[in-house]
Amino acid sequence: MAKPFALSSRVLHWTMAVLILAMLFIGIAMVASLADYHRLVAIHRPLGALILILALLRLANRFRRRPPPLPAAMPALLKLPAQLSHWLLYALMIALPLVGWAMLSAAAYPIVLFGPLRLPPIAPHDVALYATLRATHTVLALLLFATLLAHVSAALMHALIFRDGVFQSMAGFGRRTTPRR
């Protein structure tokens, strides 16, 4: 079995997985529902800020607690795409909230976290910039969705086809490396 990820890495991974899936569904619902739009936006904005903070913590954690190596038996042709897709996920988890924040800043919309706590604007008020950032935010969200599908597919391939312990190393369960007594 592959060496397990550090507990902090697993907790951050699964917490963010839930938050990002929720965020994607909220984003889709915002586009599809005018009746619930304002309520969904009120959730979407602070959730995006939380995801940004957790993504930065997760990146720092990754540098502090290196992930276990990929299995030696894993084909070399798959190792580079695996590593690149992880870095793409990190880039998207950071870029998407930042673009959303800049987009709302350009539209002069406040980002209310809770109560009177608001994020400061990070872009000038500019309608043309808002339009560009809105399109960029949508493209990045679709790219994140596609990358997540690839990530889940790869995880399932490791769990069900390769059976090399990679999935279990992040899931936190699997075969024991020492026999039970």
Side-chain angles (χ1 to χ4, degrees):
M1 180 172 149
K3 180 182 171 195
F5 279 81
L7 178 61
S8 59
S9 300
R10 292 193 316 261
V11 168
L12 283 166
H13 175 274
W14 292 109
T15 300
M16 289 196 69
V18 169
L19 293 175
I20 289 170
L21 285 175
M23 185 64 112
L24 286 170
F25 283 113
I26 290 168
I28 290 166
M30 283 170 41
V31 172
S33 172
L34 292 177
D36 295 323
Y37 180 80
H38 293 291
R39 187 171 1 154
L40 293 170
V41 166
I43 298 168
H44 193 80
R45 290 176 184 168
L47 192 56
L50 177 60
I51 288 171
L52 176 60
I53 291 166
L54 290 176
L56 293 171
L57 286 172
R58 189 169 172 195
L59 188 61
N61 182 70
R62 184 180 177 104
F63 287 123
R64 189 165 176 254
R65 301 184 187 282
R66 294 277 183 199
L70 293 170
M74 186 173 169
L77 191 60
L78 295 180
K79 286 185 180 181
L80 181 62
Q83 293 168 341
L84 291 176
S85 70
H86 281 104
W87 288 112
L88 178 58
L89 281 170
Y90 279 103
L92 290 168
M93 289 185 294
I94 293 168
L96 201 50
L98 285 174
V99 168
W101 185 359
M103 174 187 75
L104 294 171
S105 296
Y109 292 136
I111 300 178
V112 178
L113 297 178
F114 57 89
L117 186 59
R118 296 171 185 232
L119 292 179
I122 60 169
H125 176 60
D126 181 332
V127 176
L129 179 59
Y130 167 77
T132 300
L133 291 171
R134 182 174 175 140
T136 303
H137 192 68
T138 300
V139 169
L140 290 177
L142 292 171
L143 181 58
L144 177 62
F145 183 67
T147 307
L148 286 174
L149 287 177
H151 185 72
V152 169
S153 298
L156 290 173
M157 186 148 52
H158 281 287
L160 302 174
I161 296 171
F162 295 154
R163 297 178 188 225
D164 55 10
V166 170
F167 177 80
Q168 290 81 1
S169 70
M170 181 52 81
F173 62 83
R175 288 176 268 161
R176 292 178 176 261
T177 55
T178 57
R180 288 186 187 178
R181 294 203 171 213

